Amino acid sequence: MAETAVQARRSAHDFDAQSPEGFDDAHREFARLRSEHPVARSQDFGGFWAMLGYEELAEVITDIDRFTTTSQNAIPKFAFTGVRPPLHLDPPQHTSYRRVINHFFTPPKMRALEPAVRRCVQELIEPLIQQGTVDVARQYAQKLPAHVFAEFFNLSAETSLEIKTVSGTYVDAIQVLDHETVKSLSGRLYEIAQAIIDERQAGAFSAEEDLTQALLEAEYDGGPLPAAMVLGCVRQLIVTGMVAPSVFIGNMFVHLSRDPQLQQHLREHPEDIPGAVEEFVRLYNPYRGMARTARHDTVVGGQQVQEGDPIALVYTAANRDPRMFEEPDTFRPHRENIAKHLSFGRGTHSCPGAPLARMMFRITLEEALSRSTFDLTGDPGMAKWAEWGTNHVPLEFIALGA
C-alpha cells in the first residue's frame, strides 16, 4: 500500500462511535461499513482501528504474538489504577490466575449453582409479571447480575448491590469521558475488592467453595500470587460480569416481542431455548469496545496497522459477517455453524464466565415464557459505546392464566 494511501486510511473517519442509536442502527451501519472496510477507522477517542469482519477480528484475538492486551484492553482507555489479571496480562503471566478462575465455571460447579440462579430469576421476574407494565431492562436486567454474583462470589446482597451500583455509574462515566469520576469509582471498587479479600483471610471459606479464597491460596513461582495482583484480579472479576448481562438481557425481550411466533414456539418448546439463547448471543453481542494493541507494525485484512495502535474488537459486527454466517441478520434457531460465533471470545482471553452467562439467559427465558406473554410498549433505549445493547425496554407482561 502506497505511503499516501496508508496515511489516508489513518486519517479516515469511517464512523462516529458516539452517535445516538436506535435498536437497529448500529447493525445496519456496521453491515454497510463492513462491506467496504472490514478493518474500519475512527478518529474518536484519539483514533483507533475497528475489527468489523469475522476473520479479521478472530485473527487479532488469537495471535498474541502480534496483538497484546497488556497496553490497552478497552476503547476508550481508562485503566488508571493498576494491573487487573487476567485481562491485563498475556501468557504466561496470566495463566496462574486463569487456571484458578476456570475451576469455578466447570459443569459440576454450574449445576450446583443453578438452583440459586433460578431462585434469583424467579424472585425478580414474578413481581414484574404481576405488575404488568414494566421496564424490563432497568427493573430486571440491571438487577439480576448483582443477585447472581452474590451467590457466585459468596457476597452479601448489600455488597453485591453496591458493586452493581458503582460499576454501573463507572461505565456511565467512561461513556461520557468523565476521567475524575472514573478514577474515583475505580478506587471505590478496589476498596470493595480489598474488603472481600480481608474477609476471606479470616478463614470463613475454603478454596474449593470460594474463588477469592482460591486466589489467595494459589501458587506462583513457588509462592503465593502477588497480593497486588490478587487485588487487581478480584477487582476485575466483580465488575466484568455485571455489565454485559445488564445490556444483553433486554435484547432478547425486544426480539421476542417483535417475533410473537418465535415467542410462542419457545413457550411451547422450552427444549429449544438453549439453542435460541446461542443465536441471540450471536445476533446481539454487547461488546464493541474491548481492545488489543499492535505489538509491532503489521497487516490485518490488507490494512497496515502500526506498533502501538489500539484496535477495537467489534464483536457486535463480526458475528453478523455474511462471509461466515448465511443470512446473518436473520434469527435461525438451529444454525449449523452457531458454535463459530465469537461472542465469548476465543483463545487466551475467551470469557471464563460464559457458562454462567448462558445459564442466566436460559433461565430468564424459561421463567418468563412459562409464566407470561409480553410485548413492547415503546421504543428501547440504547447503551453507548463501548457496549451495545438496551438500557431501557418498556414492556407489558400478561400473566398466563390471568
Side-chain angles (χ1 to χ4, degrees), residues 54 57 61 275 277-283 285 315 318-320 324-325 335 337-346 354 358:
Y54 181 97
L57 190 149
I61 63 176
V277 165
E278 213 63 20
E279 181 72 339
F280 284 140
V281 167
R282 181 192 70 83
L283 279 169
N285 183 275
Y315 295 97
N319 274 332
R320 295 195 184 203
M324 175 54 65
F325 299 106
R335 190 177 288 274
N337 66 342
I338 188 61
K340 291 185 178 295
H341 76 69
L342 298 170
S343 293
F344 295 108
R346 182 178 293 174
R358 287 184 168 105

Side-chain angles (χ1 to χ4, degrees), residues 10 41 45-49 65-68 70-75 77 291-298 304-312:
R10 293 189 66 82
R41 182 73 177 171
F45 312 124
F48 65 95
W49 299 105
D65 292 327
R66 289 195 293 153
F67 306 101
T68 180
T70 60
S71 176
Q72 181 171 349
N73 54 77
I75 293 172
K77 185 176 183 179
R292 299 290 187 271
T293 303
R295 293 182 184 270
H296 49 73
D297 292 357
T298 188
Q304 291 192 22
V305 176
Q306 294 182 4
E307 178 181 354
D309 279 355
I311 302 166

Side-chain angles (χ1 to χ4, degrees), residues 51-221:
M51 298 296 123
L52 306 185
Y54 181 97
E55 292 181 2
E56 292 78 12
L57 190 149
E59 180 179 342
V60 170
I61 63 176
T62 56
D63 192 340
I64 62 175
D65 292 327
R66 289 195 293 153
F67 306 101
T68 180
T69 187
T70 60
S71 176
Q72 181 171 349
N73 54 77
I75 293 172
K77 185 176 183 179
F78 268 94
F80 298 114
T81 48
V83 177
R84 301 196 287 272
L87 182 61
H88 291 189
L89 300 177
D90 287 327
Q93 291 84 3
H94 102 307
T95 307
S96 296
Y97 304 90
R98 188 59 188 260
R99 185 182 300 116
V100 174
I101 294 167
N102 287 350
H103 176 69
F104 284 83
F105 292 99
T106 60
K109 291 284 190 183
M110 292 296 96
R111 286 193 294 270
L113 186 63
E114 180 160 342
V117 174
R118 189 172 296 278
R119 184 179 67 252
C120 292
V121 170
Q122 291 170 341
E123 291 176 353
L124 286 171
I125 203 75
E126 180 59 28
L128 299 184
I129 292 172
Q130 297 306 316
Q131 181 179 335
T133 302
V134 303
D135 183 336
V136 78
R138 295 175 182 171
Q139 293 176 259
Y140 178 79
Q142 294 174 20
K143 292 185 177 181
L144 179 64
H147 291 265
V148 172
F149 268 48
E151 300 288 343
F152 179 81
F153 279 105
N154 299 307
L155 303 176
S156 68
E158 292 76 16
T159 296
S160 191
L161 287 170
E162 182 183 7
I163 293 168
K164 180 66 185 78
T165 300
V166 174
S167 62
T169 308
Y170 172 80
V171 169
D172 290 344
I174 288 176
Q175 292 174 348
V176 298
L177 306 180
D178 183 349
H179 292 255
E180 291 306 314
T181 299
V182 169
K183 289 181 182 180
S184 174
L185 294 179
S186 183
R188 177 57 191 145
L189 290 166
Y190 270 100
E191 292 172 356
I192 296 171
Q194 186 61 61
I196 294 170
I197 291 170
D198 293 344
E199 187 176 278
R200 298 309 181 267
Q201 288 174 331
F205 297 96
S206 72
E208 181 59 31
E209 66 180 339
D210 187 83
L211 176 51
T212 303
Q213 188 65 40
L215 287 166
L216 290 171
E217 295 185 18
E219 292 189 356
Y220 176 76
D221 284 345

